[in-house]
């Protein structure tokens, strides 16, 4: 169980960076947890953020506790596992469960339609894992409150249906203990995006049916290689990431290759974007593109594909990518363990909700309306319709820049359109794509050689949101929001999910425009018709 990194045409520059790292003793120092590797300013943070190096062993201490939770859930017939968590608390379990082909419902959203769909699905057989490192994540707190009320309304004691994963001493630990919820404590010396092999990754995955011992075994098998100067896959991959960034190729096209792993690029996206996107620097991961189209882009595949590829089992991949990201941080000169700009959008959201009180949120006045789509923002040239706006956005992307699409919508809504019936798989897939706003990424990507990213809001705020605000000043942003027709109350709070979702969108938009980033918001007054219209206009550009 090893990870093989196959180098493409960049072998010379990569080997120069790797040789320098070896000469400086970095591989052994990182494997030993030396917090001085990223400079004196980063050392205090690094000192409390290197616990991930030991997780293949230290996380085994959690296994008896996890086994008891699994046994209890099976005995009580709780086979619908819902994970309420954001960013590092949800991305790894989603990949693990998809790879092991076990069902897990992930709530990393404030979209009321998506939450209601989960809420009305087999409540009598539902077990909710509430996962938050800080214990104060607003989305996760909202999910907990909503499920508590739903369980009580159904005559179910929430203490029999909620499991909490958090850091020691967090406010969530205290409230969970008071409520009588089982609590599994994670390693506090591991940051959220490095937490795949902590309780945050293992507890929900095991409850869903994944073999988490196997993950730890896979990581342990590759761990010994990470102290070596040769045959070290983490060093090889980190040298690739760092060397490419130094030579101006800072757009990493991540491709799911021919491997048994499903969806790993989505997890890598958060790890790399949030770790490196700061101080005007960074590596931008791009998920979904087929190939690099300009000289600032390169492709890395998951699996045994040609070119630059990373092949190996999932547990080993987690550890190797984490190690490589830490290496890349040293090469490009940033602290890979902090996230200085993530809190800004959260603070904006809180301010918007407080200032609005019971009144309308400051959504602004539409620049124009094209069918079921309202356009907000400053678009020069007197645009007449949605096509003009999309065309301007594509042209506004600077040389070496990128376009980011951010959709604050229900990411499962398209499945409602692709109903199972007499249609073939190909027909169903086509129907689904035609109803999925994420299809916009491919449509716009086809019309530019600049990279186009796509993120579901507010999920991406815990991921690429750091890069958007802290990375290079070359992004153009398209935000998509939608009318809410079936809102969900948040018990004990003065807002609904729909109101929170819009406040989060407006808060992040403000953080972007305050930096002079070109940004447009499209609001779908009818979500289904709006997505259909948006995609049809993009197809005709």
């Amino acid at each position: 169980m090893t990870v093989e990194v196959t180098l493409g045409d960049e072998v010379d520059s990569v080997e120069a960076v790797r040789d320098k790292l070896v000469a400086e003793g970095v591989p052994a120092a990182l494997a030993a947890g030396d917090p001085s590797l990223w400079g004196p300013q980063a050392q205090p943070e690094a000192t409390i953020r290197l616990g991930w190096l030991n997780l293949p062993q230290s996380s085994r201490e959690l296994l008896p506790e996890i086994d008891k939770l699994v046994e209890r859930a099976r005995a009580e017939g709780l086979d619908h596992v819902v994970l309420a968590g954001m960013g590092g608390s949800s991305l790894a379990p989603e990949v693990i469960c998809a790879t092991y082909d076990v069902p897990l419902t992930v709530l990393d959203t404030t979209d009321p339609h998506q939450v209601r769909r989960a809420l009305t699905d087999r409540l009598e057989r539902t077990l909710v894992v509430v996962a938050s490192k800080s214990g104060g994540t607003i989305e996760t707190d909202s999910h907990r409150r909503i499920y508590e009320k739903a369980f009580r309304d159904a005559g179910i004691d929430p203490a029999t249906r909620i499991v909490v994963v958090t850091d020691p001493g967090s406010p969530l630990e205290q409230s969970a203990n008071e409520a009588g919820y089982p609590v599994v404590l994670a390693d506090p010396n591991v940051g959220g995006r490095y937490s795949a092999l902590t309780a945050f990754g293992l507890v929900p995955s095991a409850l869903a049916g994944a073999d988490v011992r196997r993950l730890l075994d896979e990581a342990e098998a590759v761990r010994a290689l990470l102290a070596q100067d040769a045959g070290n896959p983490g060093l090889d991959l980190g040298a690739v990431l760092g060397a490419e960034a130094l030579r101006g190729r800072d757009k990493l096209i991540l491709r799911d290759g021919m491997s048994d792993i499903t969806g790993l690029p989505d997890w890598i996206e958060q790890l790399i974007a949030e770790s490196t996107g700061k101080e005007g620097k960074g590596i931008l991961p791009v998920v979904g593109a087929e190939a690099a189209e300009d000289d600032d882009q390169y492709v890395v595949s998951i699996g045994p594909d040609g070119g630059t590829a990373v092949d190996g089992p999932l547990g080993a991949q987690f550890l190797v990518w984490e190690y490589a990201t830490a290496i890349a941080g040293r090469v490009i000169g940033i602290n890979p363990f902090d996230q200085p700009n993530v809190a800004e959008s959260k603070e904006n959201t809180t301010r918007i909700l407080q200032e609005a009180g019971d009144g309308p949120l400051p959504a602004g006045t539409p620049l124009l309306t094209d069918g079921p789509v309202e356009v907000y923002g400053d678009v020069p040239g007197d645009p007449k319709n949605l096509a003009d706006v999309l065309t301007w956005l594509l042209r506004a992307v600077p040389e070496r820049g990128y376009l980011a699409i951010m959709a604050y919508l229900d990411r499962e809504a398209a499945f409602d359109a692709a109903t199972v019936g007499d249609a073939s798989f190909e027909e169903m897939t086509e129907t689904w794509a035609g109803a999925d706003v994420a299809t916009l990424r491919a449509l716009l990507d086809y019309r530019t050689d600049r990279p186009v990213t796509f993120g579901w809001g507010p999920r991406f705020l815990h991921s690429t949101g750091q890069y958007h605000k802290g990375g290079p000043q070359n992004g153009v942003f398209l935000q998509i929001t939608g009318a809410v027709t079936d809102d969900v109350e948040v018990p004990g709070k003065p807002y609904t999910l729909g109101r929170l979702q819009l406040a989060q969108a407006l808060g992040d938009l403000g953080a972007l425009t305050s930096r002079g980033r070109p940004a447009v918001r499209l609001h779908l007054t009818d979500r289904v018709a709006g997505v259909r219209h948006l995609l049809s206009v993009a197809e005709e550009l």
Side-chain angles (χ1 to χ4, degrees), residues 278-458:
K278 58 200 72 167
E279 300 176 22
K281 305 175 185 178
I283 299 168
L284 177 67
V286 182
V287 177
E290 288 300 314
E293 297 183 87
D294 214 335
D295 61 5
D296 62 342
Q297 306 164 33
Y298 65 103
V299 177
V300 174
S301 297
I302 306 301
D305 293 18
T308 303
V310 186
D311 189 24
L314 181 57
Q317 292 264 8
F318 282 143
L319 192 59
V320 165
W321 279 98
E322 289 164 352
Y323 183 103
T325 301
I327 289 284
R330 177 183 169 91
V331 172
I332 66 178
I334 54 89
N335 174 4
F337 304 114
D338 68 348
Q339 49 281 332
N341 305 107
V342 167
E344 183 178 354
S345 293
K346 300 177 186 179
E347 293 165 354
N348 286 354
T349 297
T350 300
R351 177 181 51 78
I352 288 170
L353 289 171
Q354 290 176 343
E355 291 179 355
D358 295 332
L361 298 179
T365 302
L367 173 69
L368 63 90
T369 300
D370 187 331
V373 181
E374 296 175 341
V375 179
Y376 295 80
D378 296 323
V379 180
D382 191 25
K384 299 295 191 297
N385 51 39
L386 184 56
D388 288 348
V389 173
L390 294 179
T391 298
W392 174 78
L393 281 167
L394 290 171
R395 291 175 177 171
V397 180
E399 183 180 0
R400 312 191 73 77
Y402 66 99
L403 172 64
I405 305 171
M406 309 165 294
Y408 287 81
L409 297 169
D410 176 0
R411 68 175 170 131
E412 297 176 354
F415 291 110
D416 295 338
T419 54
V420 177
D422 296 331
S424 67
F425 176 77
E426 289 75 15
E427 291 170 330
M428 282 184 56
T429 301
E430 184 177 349
T431 301
W432 170 77
D436 187 4
V437 71
T439 302
L440 183 63
R441 196 214 68 79
L443 292 175
L444 296 184
D445 183 58
Y446 180 72
R447 288 155 177 81
T448 177
D449 59 1
R450 305 311 309 142
V452 180
T453 67
F454 182 92
W456 293 104

Side-chain angles (χ1 to χ4, degrees), residues 20 36 44:
K20 184 174 186 292
S36 69

